[in-house]
Amino acid sequence: MPLGMKPISRTTSKTDISLRYLEWSGEGSPVLLLHGLTVCAEYWSLTAQIIAREHRVISVDLRGHGHSDKPDWGYDYETVSRDVEQLCEEINVEGGLLAGHSWGAGVALCLATSNPHRFSHLALVDGGFGGRRRIPERQQDYQAMMAPLEVYTNRETYLRAAGSGIRDVMSPEVEEILMSSVIVNPDGTISERLSRENNVRILQSMGDLDTKELYSAISIPVLFVGALSGSAQRSEANDRKREVVHRAIELVSNGQECWFANTAHDIQIHRP
């Protein structure tokens, strides 16, 4: 497949909820890509174009995101991973690589443990590391974990926030990727496709996932992919991330690590 070829947008018909996904119909084994919190399938586009030279690539809008259905229930990891399992059954995804980014890495980890024979390899991209995540005790504290409302004033303010870590690679194509997960309202303001109510539901579910408990159940090779900040103020955070990954590798049967220096959290956009 030539680099830059556009994917085909499709929608499932046999899943519990309708899931929209992008497919780059390259030859070879399938590669299934899961995005992070609040974004959508397009966030994998730059990386997917490269992988599609040798593989069939599918990137899915997870429940509540992008153009998939947005019920007000089912944002725990088990339900979200079951959505993706149903998609795999419908479009015959088996025997290839499963990769998840950030929150999507947790979904991928759950999917790989519940479907031990469906995938041949697992990649956890700047997510799915470590143990149980701490969550706020008070409902109102979840608002502080989400982007402030002033980010959504207009396209310019949104792109400034969403692209803050990747300004060195900003282009019209990257801008459109960033804008794909939001809606531009008639008055020029921006709205996330993931509602803030469903965002809170996902944040609450994050405290229920203990990745350490799942590592031992993974029999396929696991690649831990981490972004390392180039900021001197983030050096301790980089060290902690390395330590967490090293402990995780000890718990899986076959684990390796790969690091991207001077890279933002959205590795698949910053360093495809």
Side-chain angles (χ1 to χ4, degrees):
M1 171 179 288
L3 189 61
M5 183 175 289
K6 299 296 183 182
I8 299 172
S9 178
R10 305 182 192 274
T11 304
T12 61
S13 60
K14 300 178 182 178
T15 47
D16 290 342
I17 64 168
S18 177
L19 297 174
R20 177 261 196 169
Y21 62 96
L22 301 177
E23 182 167 359
W24 290 259
S25 53
E27 300 295 330
S29 59
V31 174
L32 179 62
L33 305 172
L34 308 182
H35 62 74
L37 183 61
T38 78
V39 296
C40 62
E42 279 85 352
Y43 262 58
W44 279 104
S45 293
L46 298 179
T47 299
Q49 292 175 36
I50 298 170
I51 300 173
R53 294 168 177 171
E54 298 180 357
H55 296 274
R56 175 192 179 202
V57 182
I58 299 99
S59 181
V60 57
D61 284 338
L62 297 173
R63 171 184 292 248
H65 294 75
H67 298 278
S68 289
D69 280 352
K70 300 169 178 61
D72 59 3
W73 57 274
Y75 290 91
D76 56 284
Y77 282 99
E78 180 181 357
T79 303
V80 178
S81 62
R82 186 167 63 245
D83 289 341
V84 183
E85 179 183 356
Q86 292 176 350
L87 175 141
C88 291
E89 293 172 353
E90 178 173 334
I91 66 174
N92 191 29
V93 174
E94 189 167 0
L97 167 69
L98 171 63
H101 173 251
S102 194
W103 168 65
V107 177
L109 185 58
C110 291
L111 182 59
T113 56
S114 62
N115 291 260
H117 305 298
R118 183 175 294 278
F119 304 100
S120 61
H121 295 77
L122 173 65
L124 304 178
V125 183
D126 224 39
F129 307 160
R132 194 181 300 276
R133 176 171 176 163
R134 283 186 235 168
I135 59 173
E137 296 181 0
R138 300 182 306 165
Q139 182 75 12
Q140 58 266 37
D141 290 338
Y142 286 102
Q143 299 297 323
M145 300 174 68
M146 294 185 275
L149 294 177
E150 54 265 27
V151 165
Y152 304 101
T153 303
N154 53 46
R155 178 185 173 102
E156 181 181 357
T157 58
Y158 180 77
L159 286 174
R160 186 183 307 127
S164 61
I166 57 173
R167 290 196 178 127
D168 57 321
V169 298
M170 285 297 283
S171 68
E173 182 179 18
V174 170
E175 288 187 3
E176 291 312 307
I177 290 171
L178 298 180
M179 292 299 297
S180 62
S181 61
V182 297
I183 299 169
V184 180
N185 301 310
D187 63 356
T189 60
I190 303 297
S191 297
E192 296 276 8
R193 293 186 185 275
L194 174 70
S195 71
R196 291 179 85 84
E197 293 78 11
N198 286 340
N199 195 334
V200 168
R201 292 182 176 101
I202 293 173
L203 292 172
Q204 290 172 328
S205 75
M206 287 181 172
D208 297 327
L209 181 72
D210 188 344
T211 56
K212 292 180 180 178
E213 293 182 353
L214 299 178
Y215 290 151
S216 60
I218 299 293
S219 58
I220 58 177
V222 182
L223 179 64
F224 295 86
V225 182
L228 297 174
S229 172
S231 169
Q233 287 76 26
R234 299 287 298 171
S235 61
E236 290 187 6
N238 287 344
D239 290 340
R240 287 195 299 270
K241 184 183 289 188
R242 287 192 189 94
E243 291 173 5
V244 168
V245 168
H246 292 161
R247 289 196 295 269
I249 289 175
E250 293 176 354
L251 296 175
V252 299
S253 60
N254 185 352
Q256 296 184 35
E257 60 189 299
C258 177
W259 297 99
F260 286 78
N262 302 313
T263 301
H265 175 56
D266 290 318
I267 300 174
Q268 72 276 42
I269 298 178
H270 200 189
R271 309 288 185 216

mmCIF file of all heavy atoms in Angstrom, residues 172-220:
data_model
loop_
_atom_site.group_PDB
_atom_site.id
_atom_site.type_symbol
_atom_site.label_atom_id
_atom_site.label_comp_id
_atom_site.label_asym_id
_atom_site.label_seq_id
_atom_site.Cartn_x
_atom_site.Cartn_y
_atom_site.Cartn_z
ATOM 1 N N PRO A 172 -0.715 20.585 8.570
ATOM 2 C CA PRO A 172 -2.164 20.488 8.320
ATOM 3 C C PRO A 172 -2.708 19.082 8.554
ATOM 4 O O PRO A 172 -3.811 18.921 9.081
ATOM 5 C CB PRO A 172 -2.285 20.915 6.855
ATOM 6 C CG PRO A 172 -1.131 21.854 6.649
ATOM 7 C CD PRO A 172 -0.017 21.276 7.466
ATOM 8 N N GLU A 173 -1.927 18.058 8.186
ATOM 9 C CA GLU A 173 -2.377 16.676 8.384
ATOM 10 C C GLU A 173 -2.492 16.350 9.866
ATOM 11 O O GLU A 173 -3.484 15.742 10.304
ATOM 12 C CB GLU A 173 -1.417 15.703 7.712
ATOM 13 C CG GLU A 173 -1.843 14.250 7.826
ATOM 14 C CD GLU A 173 -0.908 13.279 7.140
ATOM 15 O OE1 GLU A 173 0.249 13.662 6.857
ATOM 16 O OE2 GLU A 173 -1.318 12.130 6.891
ATOM 17 N N VAL A 174 -1.515 16.749 10.665
ATOM 18 C CA VAL A 174 -1.555 16.489 12.104
ATOM 19 C C VAL A 174 -2.703 17.267 12.743
ATOM 20 O O VAL A 174 -3.413 16.758 13.620
ATOM 21 C CB VAL A 174 -0.207 16.828 12.765
ATOM 22 C CG1 VAL A 174 -0.328 16.786 14.290
ATOM 23 C CG2 VAL A 174 0.870 15.864 12.297
ATOM 24 N N GLU A 175 -2.922 18.498 12.304
ATOM 25 C CA GLU A 175 -4.037 19.284 12.832
ATOM 26 C C GLU A 175 -5.362 18.579 12.607
ATOM 27 O O GLU A 175 -6.216 18.535 13.499
ATOM 28 C CB GLU A 175 -4.066 20.674 12.196
ATOM 29 C CG GLU A 175 -2.955 21.592 12.670
ATOM 30 C CD GLU A 175 -3.116 23.015 12.135
ATOM 31 O OE1 GLU A 175 -4.133 23.267 11.443
ATOM 32 O OE2 GLU A 175 -2.245 23.854 12.424
ATOM 33 N N GLU A 176 -5.558 18.019 11.426
ATOM 34 C CA GLU A 176 -6.810 17.328 11.138
ATOM 35 C C GLU A 176 -6.949 16.064 11.968
ATOM 36 O O GLU A 176 -8.059 15.695 12.359
ATOM 37 C CB GLU A 176 -6.907 17.013 9.647
ATOM 38 C CG GLU A 176 -7.097 18.252 8.783
ATOM 39 C CD GLU A 176 -8.191 19.177 9.316
ATOM 40 O OE1 GLU A 176 -9.327 18.702 9.544
ATOM 41 O OE2 GLU A 176 -7.906 20.372 9.533
ATOM 42 N N ILE A 177 -5.835 15.386 12.247
ATOM 43 C CA ILE A 177 -5.889 14.227 13.143
ATOM 44 C C ILE A 177 -6.352 14.661 14.528
ATOM 45 O O ILE A 177 -7.225 14.032 15.133
ATOM 46 C CB ILE A 177 -4.516 13.530 13.211
ATOM 47 C CG1 ILE A 177 -4.200 12.836 11.887
ATOM 48 C CG2 ILE A 177 -4.465 12.531 14.373
ATOM 49 C CD1 ILE A 177 -2.780 12.297 11.786
ATOM 50 N N LEU A 178 -5.788 15.732 15.037
ATOM 51 C CA LEU A 178 -6.167 16.221 16.360
ATOM 52 C C LEU A 178 -7.626 16.653 16.403
ATOM 53 O O LEU A 178 -8.325 16.441 17.397
ATOM 54 C CB LEU A 178 -5.262 17.383 16.771
ATOM 55 C CG LEU A 178 -3.767 17.074 16.908
ATOM 56 C CD1 LEU A 178 -3.007 18.325 17.320
ATOM 57 C CD2 LEU A 178 -3.514 15.951 17.900
ATOM 58 N N MET A 179 -8.110 17.247 15.313
ATOM 59 C CA MET A 179 -9.491 17.734 15.270
ATOM 60 C C MET A 179 -10.500 16.614 15.056
ATOM 61 O O MET A 179 -11.707 16.825 15.241
ATOM 62 C CB MET A 179 -9.643 18.771 14.149
ATOM 63 C CG MET A 179 -8.895 20.081 14.386
ATOM 64 S SD MET A 179 -9.443 20.978 15.875
ATOM 65 C CE MET A 179 -11.162 21.339 15.447
ATOM 66 N N SER A 180 -10.036 15.442 14.679
ATOM 67 C CA SER A 180 -10.963 14.353 14.344
ATOM 68 C C SER A 180 -11.744 13.840 15.548
ATOM 69 O O SER A 180 -12.796 13.220 15.377
ATOM 70 C CB SER A 180 -10.202 13.202 13.688
ATOM 71 O OG SER A 180 -9.235 12.670 14.575
ATOM 72 N N SER A 181 -11.236 14.079 16.757
ATOM 73 C CA SER A 181 -11.920 13.557 17.941
ATOM 74 C C SER A 181 -12.903 14.557 18.542
ATOM 75 O O SER A 181 -13.515 14.265 19.577
ATOM 76 C CB SER A 181 -10.890 13.147 19.004
ATOM 77 O OG SER A 181 -10.111 14.247 19.406
ATOM 78 N N VAL A 182 -13.064 15.724 17.918
ATOM 79 C CA VAL A 182 -13.951 16.746 18.463
ATOM 80 C C VAL A 182 -14.940 17.219 17.399
ATOM 81 O O VAL A 182 -14.833 16.883 16.220
ATOM 82 C CB VAL A 182 -13.154 17.955 19.006
ATOM 83 C CG1 VAL A 182 -12.255 17.532 20.157
ATOM 84 C CG2 VAL A 182 -12.337 18.621 17.901
ATOM 85 N N ILE A 183 -15.901 18.019 17.831
ATOM 86 C CA ILE A 183 -16.904 18.616 16.961
ATOM 87 C C ILE A 183 -16.741 20.123 17.015
ATOM 88 O O ILE A 183 -16.582 20.698 18.097
ATOM 89 C CB ILE A 183 -18.319 18.235 17.421
ATOM 90 C CG1 ILE A 183 -18.520 16.715 17.361
ATOM 91 C CG2 ILE A 183 -19.381 18.948 16.577
ATOM 92 C CD1 ILE A 183 -19.787 16.247 18.055
ATOM 93 N N VAL A 184 -16.775 20.775 15.855
ATOM 94 C CA VAL A 184 -16.784 22.232 15.801
ATOM 95 C C VAL A 184 -18.246 22.675 15.739
ATOM 96 O O VAL A 184 -18.966 22.375 14.782
ATOM 97 C CB VAL A 184 -16.004 22.761 14.580
ATOM 98 C CG1 VAL A 184 -16.034 24.300 14.573
ATOM 99 C CG2 VAL A 184 -14.576 22.263 14.595
ATOM 100 N N ASN A 185 -18.694 23.366 16.756
ATOM 101 C CA ASN A 185 -20.081 23.806 16.837
ATOM 102 C C ASN A 185 -20.332 25.012 15.931
ATOM 103 O O ASN A 185 -19.385 25.678 15.504
ATOM 104 C CB ASN A 185 -20.420 24.147 18.289
ATOM 105 C CG ASN A 185 -20.233 22.961 19.218
ATOM 106 O OD1 ASN A 185 -20.730 21.880 18.952
ATOM 107 N ND2 ASN A 185 -19.490 23.170 20.306
ATOM 108 N N PRO A 186 -21.586 25.310 15.615
ATOM 109 C CA PRO A 186 -21.889 26.456 14.731
ATOM 110 C C PRO A 186 -21.309 27.780 15.203
ATOM 111 O O PRO A 186 -20.975 28.644 14.387
ATOM 112 C CB PRO A 186 -23.429 26.492 14.727
ATOM 113 C CG PRO A 186 -23.827 25.064 14.977
ATOM 114 C CD PRO A 186 -22.798 24.533 15.930
ATOM 115 N N ASP A 187 -21.165 27.953 16.514
ATOM 116 C CA ASP A 187 -20.607 29.210 17.033
ATOM 117 C C ASP A 187 -19.084 29.196 17.102
ATOM 118 O O ASP A 187 -18.470 30.150 17.607
ATOM 119 C CB ASP A 187 -21.187 29.527 18.406
ATOM 120 C CG ASP A 187 -20.831 28.488 19.470
ATOM 121 O OD1 ASP A 187 -20.182 27.471 19.115
ATOM 122 O OD2 ASP A 187 -21.195 28.681 20.645
ATOM 123 N N GLY A 188 -18.457 28.125 16.604
ATOM 124 C CA GLY A 188 -17.005 28.049 16.591
ATOM 125 C C GLY A 188 -16.390 27.400 17.807
ATOM 126 O O GLY A 188 -15.185 27.115 17.817
ATOM 127 N N THR A 189 -17.179 27.149 18.848
ATOM 128 C CA THR A 189 -16.651 26.454 20.018
ATOM 129 C C THR A 189 -16.452 24.975 19.692
ATOM 130 O O THR A 189 -16.956 24.459 18.691
ATOM 131 C CB THR A 189 -17.583 26.601 21.229
ATOM 132 O OG1 THR A 189 -18.868 26.049 20.892
ATOM 133 C CG2 THR A 189 -17.740 28.066 21.613
ATOM 134 N N ILE A 190 -15.717 24.300 20.562
ATOM 135 C CA ILE A 190 -15.349 22.906 20.345
ATOM 136 C C ILE A 190 -15.986 22.024 21.404
ATOM 137 O O ILE A 190 -16.055 22.393 22.580
ATOM 138 C CB ILE A 190 -13.811 22.744 20.410
ATOM 139 C CG1 ILE A 190 -13.124 23.662 19.395
ATOM 140 C CG2 ILE A 190 -13.408 21.287 20.193
ATOM 141 C CD1 ILE A 190 -13.438 23.389 17.955
ATOM 142 N N SER A 191 -16.455 20.853 21.004
ATOM 143 C CA SER A 191 -16.978 19.863 21.944
ATOM 144 C C SER A 191 -16.287 18.527 21.705
ATOM 145 O O SER A 191 -16.105 18.119 20.557
ATOM 146 C CB SER A 191 -18.494 19.673 21.765
ATOM 147 O OG SER A 191 -19.198 20.856 22.055
ATOM 148 N N GLU A 192 -15.920 17.852 22.794
ATOM 149 C CA GLU A 192 -15.387 16.498 22.672
ATOM 150 C C GLU A 192 -16.502 15.561 22.208
ATOM 151 O O GLU A 192 -17.654 15.708 22.601
ATOM 152 C CB GLU A 192 -14.861 15.999 24.022
ATOM 153 C CG GLU A 192 -13.691 16.774 24.584
ATOM 154 C CD GLU A 192 -12.351 16.305 24.026
ATOM 155 O OE1 GLU A 192 -12.359 15.477 23.086
ATOM 156 O OE2 GLU A 192 -11.324 16.767 24.538
ATOM 157 N N ARG A 193 -16.157 14.578 21.391
ATOM 158 C CA ARG A 193 -17.138 13.557 21.029
ATOM 159 C C ARG A 193 -17.424 12.649 22.222
ATOM 160 O O ARG A 193 -18.529 12.112 22.356
ATOM 161 C CB ARG A 193 -16.645 12.747 19.834
ATOM 162 C CG ARG A 193 -16.553 13.573 18.543
ATOM 163 C CD ARG A 193 -16.191 12.711 17.354
ATOM 164 N NE ARG A 193 -15.988 13.514 16.165
ATOM 165 C CZ ARG A 193 -16.960 13.913 15.328
ATOM 166 N NH1 ARG A 193 -18.208 13.559 15.587
ATOM 167 N NH2 ARG A 193 -16.692 14.632 14.274
ATOM 168 N N LEU A 194 -16.431 12.451 23.082
ATOM 169 C CA LEU A 194 -16.652 11.745 24.348
ATOM 170 C C LEU A 194 -17.237 12.743 25.342
ATOM 171 O O LEU A 194 -16.608 13.747 25.672
ATOM 172 C CB LEU A 194 -15.337 11.184 24.894
ATOM 173 C CG LEU A 194 -15.421 10.543 26.278
ATOM 174 C CD1 LEU A 194 -16.191 9.223 26.223
ATOM 175 C CD2 LEU A 194 -14.038 10.319 26.875
ATOM 176 N N SER A 195 -18.453 12.473 25.827
ATOM 177 C CA SER A 195 -19.071 13.388 26.786
ATOM 178 C C SER A 195 -18.287 13.404 28.089
ATOM 179 O O SER A 195 -17.617 12.434 28.445
ATOM 180 C CB SER A 195 -20.518 12.969 27.056
ATOM 181 O OG SER A 195 -20.552 11.767 27.813
ATOM 182 N N ARG A 196 -18.397 14.484 28.813
ATOM 183 C CA ARG A 196 -17.698 14.579 30.091
ATOM 184 C C ARG A 196 -18.258 13.568 31.096
ATOM 185 O O ARG A 196 -17.522 13.065 31.950
ATOM 186 C CB ARG A 196 -17.768 16.009 30.632
ATOM 187 C CG ARG A 196 -16.938 16.974 29.776
ATOM 188 C CD ARG A 196 -17.020 18.407 30.271
ATOM 189 N NE ARG A 196 -16.077 18.718 31.322
ATOM 190 C CZ ARG A 196 -14.808 19.068 31.128
ATOM 191 N NH1 ARG A 196 -14.297 19.105 29.915
ATOM 192 N NH2 ARG A 196 -14.041 19.381 32.156
ATOM 193 N N GLU A 197 -19.543 13.250 30.978
ATOM 194 C CA GLU A 197 -20.130 12.246 31.864
ATOM 195 C C GLU A 197 -19.507 10.868 31.607
ATOM 196 O O GLU A 197 -19.166 10.143 32.551
ATOM 197 C CB GLU A 197 -21.648 12.183 31.668
ATOM 198 C CG GLU A 197 -22.406 13.423 32.104
ATOM 199 C CD GLU A 197 -22.322 14.570 31.101
ATOM 200 O OE1 GLU A 197 -21.850 14.348 29.960
ATOM 201 O OE2 GLU A 197 -22.732 15.686 31.469
ATOM 202 N N ASN A 198 -19.361 10.510 30.331
ATOM 203 C CA ASN A 198 -18.742 9.219 30.021
ATOM 204 C C ASN A 198 -17.245 9.241 30.300
ATOM 205 O O ASN A 198 -16.661 8.202 30.629
ATOM 206 C CB ASN A 198 -19.014 8.839 28.567
ATOM 207 C CG ASN A 198 -20.448 8.384 28.353
ATOM 208 O OD1 ASN A 198 -21.133 7.997 29.300
ATOM 209 N ND2 ASN A 198 -20.912 8.429 27.112
ATOM 210 N N ASN A 199 -16.628 10.404 30.180
ATOM 211 C CA ASN A 199 -15.223 10.540 30.555
ATOM 212 C C ASN A 199 -15.042 10.194 32.027
ATOM 213 O O ASN A 199 -14.131 9.431 32.401
ATOM 214 C CB ASN A 199 -14.757 11.975 30.276
ATOM 215 C CG ASN A 199 -13.245 12.119 30.282
ATOM 216 O OD1 ASN A 199 -12.536 11.364 30.910
ATOM 217 N ND2 ASN A 199 -12.751 13.119 29.584
ATOM 218 N N VAL A 200 -15.925 10.704 32.871
ATOM 219 C CA VAL A 200 -15.857 10.397 34.299
ATOM 220 C C VAL A 200 -16.047 8.902 34.538
ATOM 221 O O VAL A 200 -15.346 8.293 35.362
ATOM 222 C CB VAL A 200 -16.915 11.203 35.081
ATOM 223 C CG1 VAL A 200 -17.046 10.682 36.517
ATOM 224 C CG2 VAL A 200 -16.551 12.682 35.094
ATOM 225 N N ARG A 201 -16.972 8.282 33.801
ATOM 226 C CA ARG A 201 -17.191 6.841 33.961
ATOM 227 C C ARG A 201 -15.922 6.054 33.661
ATOM 228 O O ARG A 201 -15.608 5.067 34.332
ATOM 229 C CB ARG A 201 -18.343 6.398 33.063
ATOM 230 C CG ARG A 201 -19.710 6.954 33.484
ATOM 231 C CD ARG A 201 -20.829 6.449 32.598
ATOM 232 N NE ARG A 201 -22.114 6.918 33.093
ATOM 233 C CZ ARG A 201 -22.804 7.939 32.597
ATOM 234 N NH1 ARG A 201 -22.326 8.587 31.530
ATOM 235 N NH2 ARG A 201 -23.948 8.320 33.122
ATOM 236 N N ILE A 202 -15.188 6.472 32.634
ATOM 237 C CA ILE A 202 -13.937 5.787 32.301
ATOM 238 C C ILE A 202 -12.884 6.032 33.377
ATOM 239 O O ILE A 202 -12.183 5.103 33.805
ATOM 240 C CB ILE A 202 -13.424 6.246 30.926
ATOM 241 C CG1 ILE A 202 -14.381 5.767 29.835
ATOM 242 C CG2 ILE A 202 -12.014 5.705 30.669
ATOM 243 C CD1 ILE A 202 -14.059 6.305 28.456
ATOM 244 N N LEU A 203 -12.767 7.275 33.827
ATOM 245 C CA LEU A 203 -11.799 7.586 34.869
ATOM 246 C C LEU A 203 -12.074 6.768 36.131
ATOM 247 O O LEU A 203 -11.142 6.283 36.786
ATOM 248 C CB LEU A 203 -11.826 9.080 35.183
ATOM 249 C CG LEU A 203 -11.308 10.017 34.078
ATOM 250 C CD1 LEU A 203 -11.575 11.472 34.441
ATOM 251 C CD2 LEU A 203 -9.819 9.796 33.828
ATOM 252 N N GLN A 204 -13.345 6.598 36.459
ATOM 253 C CA GLN A 204 -13.695 5.794 37.629
ATOM 254 C C GLN A 204 -13.278 4.339 37.443
ATOM 255 O O GLN A 204 -12.805 3.689 38.377
ATOM 256 C CB GLN A 204 -15.197 5.895 37.888
ATOM 257 C CG GLN A 204 -15.644 7.257 38.382
ATOM 258 C CD GLN A 204 -17.156 7.394 38.447
ATOM 259 O OE1 GLN A 204 -17.887 6.801 37.646
ATOM 260 N NE2 GLN A 204 -17.643 8.180 39.389
ATOM 261 N N SER A 205 -13.444 3.826 36.223
ATOM 262 C CA SER A 205 -13.110 2.420 35.969
ATOM 263 C C SER A 205 -11.610 2.163 36.030
ATOM 264 O O SER A 205 -11.176 1.026 36.265
ATOM 265 C CB SER A 205 -13.644 1.983 34.605
ATOM 266 O OG SER A 205 -12.859 2.495 33.546
ATOM 267 N N MET A 206 -10.805 3.212 35.817
ATOM 268 C CA MET A 206 -9.356 3.015 35.820
ATOM 269 C C MET A 206 -8.845 2.515 37.160
ATOM 270 O O MET A 206 -7.833 1.806 37.222
ATOM 271 C CB MET A 206 -8.659 4.324 35.444
ATOM 272 C CG MET A 206 -8.787 4.694 33.982
ATOM 273 S SD MET A 206 -7.924 6.244 33.597
ATOM 274 C CE MET A 206 -8.064 6.255 31.807
ATOM 275 N N GLY A 207 -9.537 2.855 38.231
ATOM 276 C CA GLY A 207 -9.109 2.392 39.543
ATOM 277 C C GLY A 207 -9.368 0.922 39.780
ATOM 278 O O GLY A 207 -8.869 0.342 40.743
ATOM 279 N N ASP A 208 -10.158 0.297 38.891
ATOM 280 C CA ASP A 208 -10.484 -1.114 39.054
ATOM 281 C C ASP A 208 -9.489 -2.033 38.347
ATOM 282 O O ASP A 208 -9.552 -3.256 38.511
ATOM 283 C CB ASP A 208 -11.886 -1.405 38.493
ATOM 284 C CG ASP A 208 -12.968 -0.646 39.244
ATOM 285 O OD1 ASP A 208 -12.808 -0.429 40.457
ATOM 286 O OD2 ASP A 208 -13.979 -0.274 38.604
ATOM 287 N N LEU A 209 -8.597 -1.459 37.550
ATOM 288 C CA LEU A 209 -7.669 -2.275 36.770
ATOM 289 C C LEU A 209 -6.320 -2.368 37.471
ATOM 290 O O LEU A 209 -5.639 -1.371 37.668
ATOM 291 C CB LEU A 209 -7.475 -1.670 35.371
ATOM 292 C CG LEU A 209 -6.534 -2.458 34.451
ATOM 293 C CD1 LEU A 209 -7.207 -3.755 34.005
ATOM 294 C CD2 LEU A 209 -6.148 -1.631 33.225
ATOM 295 N N ASP A 210 -5.947 -3.583 37.821
ATOM 296 C CA ASP A 210 -4.615 -3.823 38.372
ATOM 297 C C ASP A 210 -3.819 -4.580 37.309
ATOM 298 O O ASP A 210 -3.960 -5.796 37.158
ATOM 299 C CB ASP A 210 -4.692 -4.627 39.664
ATOM 300 C CG ASP A 210 -3.339 -4.716 40.368
ATOM 301 O OD1 ASP A 210 -2.314 -4.424 39.715
ATOM 302 O OD2 ASP A 210 -3.310 -5.065 41.555
ATOM 303 N N THR A 211 -3.007 -3.859 36.573
ATOM 304 C CA THR A 211 -2.290 -4.479 35.461
ATOM 305 C C THR A 211 -1.353 -5.583 35.928
ATOM 306 O O THR A 211 -1.130 -6.556 35.209
ATOM 307 C CB THR A 211 -1.488 -3.422 34.687
ATOM 308 O OG1 THR A 211 -0.616 -2.733 35.603
ATOM 309 C CG2 THR A 211 -2.402 -2.409 34.026
ATOM 310 N N LYS A 212 -0.816 -5.457 37.136
ATOM 311 C CA LYS A 212 0.105 -6.474 37.646
ATOM 312 C C LYS A 212 -0.556 -7.851 37.713
ATOM 313 O O LYS A 212 0.088 -8.869 37.495
ATOM 314 C CB LYS A 212 0.628 -6.074 39.026
ATOM 315 C CG LYS A 212 1.546 -4.856 39.017
ATOM 316 C CD LYS A 212 2.007 -4.524 40.425
ATOM 317 C CE LYS A 212 2.922 -3.326 40.444
ATOM 318 N NZ LYS A 212 3.349 -2.965 41.812
ATOM 319 N N GLU A 213 -1.847 -7.868 38.026
ATOM 320 C CA GLU A 213 -2.562 -9.130 38.119
ATOM 321 C C GLU A 213 -2.735 -9.784 36.748
ATOM 322 O O GLU A 213 -2.892 -11.004 36.649
ATOM 323 C CB GLU A 213 -3.925 -8.916 38.774
ATOM 324 C CG GLU A 213 -3.862 -8.499 40.236
ATOM 325 C CD GLU A 213 -5.231 -8.336 40.845
ATOM 326 O OE1 GLU A 213 -6.223 -8.424 40.087
ATOM 327 O OE2 GLU A 213 -5.326 -8.125 42.064
ATOM 328 N N LEU A 214 -2.736 -8.969 35.700
ATOM 329 C CA LEU A 214 -2.980 -9.481 34.354
ATOM 330 C C LEU A 214 -1.705 -9.938 33.658
ATOM 331 O O LEU A 214 -1.763 -10.800 32.773
ATOM 332 C CB LEU A 214 -3.673 -8.411 33.500
ATOM 333 C CG LEU A 214 -5.045 -7.950 33.997
ATOM 334 C CD1 LEU A 214 -5.588 -6.861 33.073
ATOM 335 C CD2 LEU A 214 -6.019 -9.109 34.080
ATOM 336 N N TYR A 215 -0.573 -9.364 34.034
ATOM 337 C CA TYR A 215 0.678 -9.674 33.332
ATOM 338 C C TYR A 215 0.972 -11.175 33.310
ATOM 339 O O TYR A 215 1.391 -11.730 32.297
ATOM 340 C CB TYR A 215 1.852 -8.951 33.973
ATOM 341 C CG TYR A 215 1.874 -7.454 33.782
ATOM 342 C CD1 TYR A 215 2.467 -6.627 34.733
ATOM 343 C CD2 TYR A 215 1.320 -6.851 32.662
ATOM 344 C CE1 TYR A 215 2.497 -5.256 34.577
ATOM 345 C CE2 TYR A 215 1.330 -5.479 32.494
ATOM 346 C CZ TYR A 215 1.928 -4.687 33.459
ATOM 347 O OH TYR A 215 1.960 -3.324 33.299
ATOM 348 N N SER A 216 0.760 -11.825 34.444
ATOM 349 C CA SER A 216 1.110 -13.242 34.534
ATOM 350 C C SER A 216 0.230 -14.121 33.649
ATOM 351 O O SER A 216 0.587 -15.263 33.346
ATOM 352 C CB SER A 216 1.015 -13.731 35.983
ATOM 353 O OG SER A 216 -0.305 -13.566 36.476
ATOM 354 N N ALA A 217 -0.932 -13.586 33.235
ATOM 355 C CA ALA A 217 -1.847 -14.359 32.386
ATOM 356 C C ALA A 217 -1.528 -14.217 30.904
ATOM 357 O O ALA A 217 -2.142 -14.899 30.085
ATOM 358 C CB ALA A 217 -3.290 -13.924 32.650
ATOM 359 N N ILE A 218 -0.579 -13.347 30.568
ATOM 360 C CA ILE A 218 -0.233 -13.108 29.165
ATOM 361 C C ILE A 218 0.840 -14.097 28.725
ATOM 362 O O ILE A 218 1.939 -14.133 29.282
ATOM 363 C CB ILE A 218 0.284 -11.663 28.961
ATOM 364 C CG1 ILE A 218 -0.795 -10.650 29.341
ATOM 365 C CG2 ILE A 218 0.720 -11.447 27.526
ATOM 366 C CD1 ILE A 218 -1.993 -10.649 28.447
ATOM 367 N N SER A 219 0.517 -14.895 27.726
ATOM 368 C CA SER A 219 1.478 -15.885 27.237
ATOM 369 C C SER A 219 2.173 -15.447 25.958
ATOM 370 O O SER A 219 3.181 -16.028 25.566
ATOM 371 C CB SER A 219 0.769 -17.218 26.998
ATOM 372 O OG SER A 219 -0.298 -17.067 26.067
ATOM 373 N N ILE A 220 1.646 -14.422 25.286
ATOM 374 C CA ILE A 220 2.248 -13.955 24.041
ATOM 375 C C ILE A 220 3.318 -12.906 24.336
ATOM 376 O O ILE A 220 3.329 -12.306 25.418
ATOM 377 C CB ILE A 220 1.180 -13.365 23.091
ATOM 378 C CG1 ILE A 220 0.439 -12.203 23.773
ATOM 379 C CG2 ILE A 220 0.215 -14.448 22.640
ATOM 380 C CD1 ILE A 220 -0.590 -11.512 22.874
#
